[in-house]
């Protein structure tokens, strides 16, 4: 273990601030992970070998029944960028630890519409595909392109396309394999020919109240 490693791996950490319900609980071991190199170093630490692991995003869907006698890995991968563009779409990537709502707002500020119906949903970018989050007539799967994840069982970094994720209503491949994968980055395909999703009753009512007949990315 390198001399810097003790700062990454913490002992007996309160988890109250890491779940939105503020349930009192403690983790035997805790680490905020910012990149794959950190993750690999942490997982090689002899003190946590054989212990159960819990991957933690924003904690919005986390219900803690008590203390966790294992290693809690908080996903803190950061970064937001346009990684590709073709005639039909922009491809936007974000680190798994990015705040979801802040990411959606940023895409709109940059002029890349498409995710607006999913704003205000709590949590992180990395947790969003796990639940296949959805709201107001739109699901994440509709604009999902690919992701990179770390397999905690094999120690390998793997890529997933849309078919690999087996998205269903509030469900995915990752939800069916809890604790195995840490999602480091997600890429979205946002079409240039933007079509607002307004058929949902509450959306239509809100637009009518504002006198907006046809939304544009600038409104």
């Amino acid at each position: 273990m390198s001399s810097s490693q003790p700062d990454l791996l913490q002992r007996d950490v309160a988890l109250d601030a890491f779940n939105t319900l503020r349930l009192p609980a403690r983790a035997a071991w805790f680490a905020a992970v910012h990149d794959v190199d950190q993750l690999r170093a942490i997982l090689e630490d002899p003190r946590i070998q054989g212990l159960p692991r819990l991957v933690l995003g924003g904690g919005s869907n986390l219900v803690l029944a008590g203390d966790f006698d294992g290693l809690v890995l908080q996903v803190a991968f950061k970064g937001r960028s346009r990684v590709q563009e073709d005639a039909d779409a922009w491809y936007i990537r974000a680190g798994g630890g990015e705040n979801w709502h802040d990411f959606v707002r940023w895409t709109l500020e940059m002029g890349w519409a498409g995710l607006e119906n999913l704003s205000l949903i709590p949590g992180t970018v990395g947790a969003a595909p796990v639940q296949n989050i959805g709201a107001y007539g739109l699901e994440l799967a509709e604009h999902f392109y690919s992701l990179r994840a770390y397999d905690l069982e094999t120690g390998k970094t793997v890529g997933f396309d849309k078919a690999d994720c087996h998205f269903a209503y509030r469900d995915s491949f990752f939800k069916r394999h809890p604790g195995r994968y840490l999602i480091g980055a997600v890429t979205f395909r946002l079409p240039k020919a933007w079509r607002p999703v307004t058929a949902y009753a509450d959306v239509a009512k809100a637009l009518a109240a504002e006198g907006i007949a046809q939304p544009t990315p600038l409104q």
Side-chain angles (χ1 to χ4, degrees):
M1 183 174 64
S2 68
S3 59
S4 62
Q5 199 60 28
D7 293 334
L8 298 178
L9 197 58
Q10 303 175 54
R11 177 80 171 170
D12 189 27
V13 173
L15 298 176
D16 308 42
F18 297 102
N19 72 94
T20 55
L21 295 176
R22 296 295 187 263
L23 296 174
R26 306 191 72 83
W29 296 94
F30 178 93
V33 186
H34 296 84
D35 55 49
V36 172
D37 289 340
Q38 277 191 355
L39 177 60
R40 286 176 175 150
I42 290 165
L43 295 179
E44 290 172 358
D45 192 301
R47 294 172 295 175
I48 55 88
Q49 299 308 305
L51 294 180
R53 297 161 183 169
L54 173 65
V55 178
L56 179 65
S60 57
N61 287 315
L62 182 65
V63 178
L64 297 168
D67 294 345
F68 186 73
D69 192 22
L71 170 64
V72 172
L73 294 165
Q74 183 195 28
V75 182
F77 288 56
K78 299 294 184 180
R80 304 180 297 199
S81 64
R82 186 182 71 186
V83 294
Q84 185 180 338
E85 178 182 353
D86 58 30
D88 299 318
W90 294 286
Y91 297 80
I92 314 302
R93 179 178 298 156
E98 290 282 347
N99 176 274
W100 173 256
H101 175 65
D102 291 347
F103 168 66
V104 173
R105 288 190 59 182
W106 174 77
T107 62
L108 297 174
E109 291 167 359
M110 297 298 291
W112 306 319
L115 298 175
E116 56 280 346
N117 288 42
L118 303 181
S119 63
L120 297 175
I121 295 178
T124 59
V125 168
V130 177
Q131 185 76 3
N132 186 21
I133 59 173
Y136 303 111
L138 180 70
E139 288 190 345
L140 173 138
E142 296 178 50
H143 289 307
F144 176 89
Y145 184 70
S146 66
L147 64 78
R148 294 198 306 261
Y150 190 87
D151 188 334
L152 298 176
E153 289 188 8
T154 66
K156 296 180 179 179
T157 300
V158 290
F160 289 80
D161 62 17
K162 187 174 180 178
D164 295 329
C165 293
H166 297 164
F167 288 125
Y169 180 75
R170 304 298 177 269
D171 195 15
S172 71
F173 172 84
F174 306 100
K175 192 171 182 179
R176 299 166 212 163
H177 297 80
R180 176 168 177 176
Y181 295 93
L182 185 150
I183 298 175
V186 184
T187 302
F188 299 88
R189 183 184 184 277
L190 302 181
K192 293 180 177 179
W194 176 71
R195 292 185 179 89
V197 180
T198 61
Y200 197 88
D202 286 349
V203 174
K205 182 178 179 180
L207 291 173
E210 295 294 327
I212 300 174
Q214 181 62 32
T216 72
L218 297 179
Q219 288 182 308

